Amino acid sequence: MSSSHMNIITVIGSGLIGRSWAMVFVSGGYSVKIYDNQPGQAAKAIAEIRKQLEELEEAHMLRGELTATQQLALISSYNDLTQALEGAFFVQECVFEQLEVKQSVFQEIEHLVGKDVILSSSTSCLVPSNVFSKVQNKSRCLVSHPVNPPYYVKLVELVPHPETAATVMDATHSLMTKVGQAPVCLKKEIDGFALNRVQAAIIAESWRLVQDGVISVKDIDLVMSEGLGMRYAFIGPMETMHLNAPAGLEDYMKRYGEGITRVLNSFGPVPNFSGGEAAKSIVNEMCELIPSEAQHLSARMERRDQLLMGLAKLKKEH
Ligand SMILES: NC(=O)c1ccc[n+]([C@@H]2O[C@H](COP(=O)([O-])OP(=O)(O)OC[C@H]3O[C@@H](n4cnc5c(N)ncnc54)[C@H](O)[C@@H]3O)[C@@H](O)[C@H]2O)c1
Ligand SMILES: *[C@@H]1O[C@H](CO)[C@@H](O)[C@H](O)[C@H]1NC(C)=O
Ligand SMILES: *[C@@H]1O[C@H](CO)[C@@H](O)[C@H](O)[C@H]1NC(C)=O
């Protein structure tokens, strides 16, 4: 493979996540070829990306060294998969979250690319051994799971198939770092990866506390946004513990380990999130705070993205 080819990335699927990946990759100076099996969809995606890049430039939030115009010039759209894959060294799949769809997409892609091309899936909920079960050479396959919106939330979970080559993990880690994302490597696959497992634990206990009449929906959200979340934007749970006792983590566990174990043992069973009056009443309480009609939700989404933008800026400065 000639080195001139090491700058083309193909994005398969041009929905929310495909568009975001395209923006992230061009911010790092890569050429991005977008393919979607809905004719015209990839071209529409570019129009949407143009709008976003211009807005970001206006707000001085554009990532990378290039101008919005220069970044846009790096993106092209395709209705033909073979053409879209030509010259790529890395493929990021962003199609519907359906196992059969992903399996057949990768099966098809494998026959259209050279043997060293890395095949990467954006899946949030499917494990690599299922996603890549129809690929012959699984050593080049991995999941690169982004967090929405990837432009501001930079974490990417790299999850190997049991057969994924270490060099493929390393090359993807370098690529993600180069384009300004924050990659983490899982050492083996597991349902939910790391982020969604931690998130599920938080969701379950929050739900239980509201359901058991301990706290309101509004206040449990404040526990996170005004409490734990303040430091979690900068330091994780491990460093938090390490810094919360005079002699570090071991000391912390001597002091608080027993209490944490006692609390953990009092956790109830997995809540029934869609069962009966309890669930209904939690949903109602949430909807009284923020009605679930589209205009209310999209206003809050906009606020969330603005705040994330500000936080991303703050993190960049520190
Ligand atoms: N939305 C999120 O918050 C989020 C976060 C992390 C990961 N993901 C993952 O990213 C992937 C994409 O999610 P999304 O939210 O962008 O979905 P989406 O529905 O917005 O976009 C999917 C796109 O894929 C196209 N597509 C479907 N089948 C195709 C095929 N066979 N070939 C080519 N294109 C095809 C569709 O036309 C559509 O444009 C999913 O696997 C999802 O789990 C999503
Ligand atoms: C399988 O993929 C790896 C990693 O990309 C590559 O080095 C190897 O040559 C491939 N093997 C075959 C038989 O294509
Ligand atoms: C949750 O509750 C609903 C309604 O009571 C019930 O139909 C459903 O089977 C329950 N689900 C689980 C997983 O217990």
Side-chain angles (χ1 to χ4, degrees):
M1 183 190 302
S2 95
S3 64
S4 69
H5 281 174
M6 290 297 282
N7 57 17
I8 300 175
I9 294 174
T10 301
V11 168
I12 308 287
S14 60
L16 188 68
I17 292 298
R19 295 195 299 264
S20 297
W21 272 126
M23 288 168 61
V24 167
F25 292 139
V26 293
S27 80
Y30 289 93
S31 289
V32 174
K33 300 170 87 174
I34 305 181
Y35 166 79
D36 201 290
N37 72 341
Q38 285 281 102
Q41 193 60 41
K44 268 194 217 148
I46 295 188
E48 173 63 28
I49 291 171
R50 173 192 303 276
K51 199 171 131 240
Q52 285 194 45
L53 288 177
E54 283 165 359
E55 280 171 16
L56 286 162
E57 188 164 62
E58 188 83 3
H60 302 286
M61 281 304 296
L62 190 68
R63 282 172 58 171
E65 307 292 315
L66 305 174
T67 65
T69 308
Q70 288 169 327
Q71 294 191 24
L72 259 170
L74 292 171
I75 310 181
S76 51
S77 65
Y78 297 82
N79 292 324
D80 180 85
L81 184 58
T82 309
Q83 282 173 17
L85 291 167
E86 176 135 21
F89 74 99
F90 190 91
V91 177
Q92 185 68 37
E93 168 275 315
C94 319
V95 305
F96 298 141
E97 184 76 349
Q98 287 166 13
L99 182 58
E100 304 73 37
V101 177
K102 290 195 191 286
Q103 283 175 336
S104 63
V105 164
F106 279 114
Q107 191 175 23
E108 198 179 351
I109 290 172
E110 181 175 38
H111 296 295
L112 298 172
V113 297
K115 67 178 179 57
D116 290 320
V117 175
I118 295 178
L119 305 183
S120 170
S121 171
S122 301
T123 183
S124 359
C125 300
L126 305 167
V127 290
S129 54
N130 289 335
V131 172
F132 299 112
S133 62
K134 292 187 179 165
V135 175
Q136 274 163 21
N137 186 358
K138 299 176 176 71
S139 67
R140 52 150 97 183
C141 299
L142 80 165
V143 165
S144 303
H145 172 229
V147 186
N148 194 36
Y151 208 76
Y152 307 116
V153 185
K154 296 179 179 179
L155 184 83
V156 186
E157 291 183 283
L158 305 183
V159 188
H161 183 282
E163 291 171 33
T164 305
T167 50
V168 168
M169 292 293 281
D170 292 347
T172 307
H173 193 278
S174 302
L175 169 64
M176 292 301 171
T177 306
K178 200 174 157 206
V179 298
Q181 294 305 93
V184 295
C185 292
L186 270 67
K187 294 171 186 167
K188 54 182 173 184
E189 67 176 28
I190 183 169
D191 191 14
F193 312 147
L195 182 139
N196 278 327
R197 291 181 76 87
V198 172
Q199 176 165 253
I202 293 169
I203 288 171
E205 187 54 16
S206 302
W207 193 275
R208 241 178 336 236
L209 288 172
V210 177
Q211 185 177 296
D212 292 353
V214 176
I215 195 167
S216 66
V217 165
K218 184 177 181 192
D219 283 357
I220 192 63
D221 270 3
L222 287 171
V223 165
M224 208 52 159
S225 61
E226 295 295 334
L228 290 174
M230 287 296 285
R231 53 191 180 214
Y232 283 169
F234 300 94
I235 59 172
M238 294 296 175
E239 186 177 344
T240 296
M241 292 188 288
H242 201 41
L243 303 183
N244 272 359
L249 182 55
E250 196 177 13
D251 185 20
Y252 181 92
M253 280 311 180
K254 262 192 214 126
R255 291 162 187 253
Y256 306 113
E258 210 175 297
I260 293 171
T261 304
R262 192 188 63 242
V263 169
L264 281 170
N265 280 316
S266 74
F267 280 18
V270 175
N272 184 337
F273 297 112
S274 43
E277 291 308 312
K280 226 180 262 166
S281 125
I282 293 176
V283 171
N284 288 343
E285 205 178 320
M286 183 75 247
C287 292
E288 269 166 36
L289 297 169
I290 304 168
S292 55
E293 283 79 35
Q295 84 264 26
H296 294 283
L297 289 184
S298 55
R300 294 296 287 189
M301 288 176 199
E302 187 137 325
R303 170 180 181 270
R304 174 200 63 192
D305 291 349
Q306 287 293 327
L307 290 169
L308 283 172
M309 200 194 284
L311 184 59
K313 210 172 196 170
L314 182 65
K315 279 175 75 81
K316 203 170 137 193
E317 288 159 7
H318 291 270

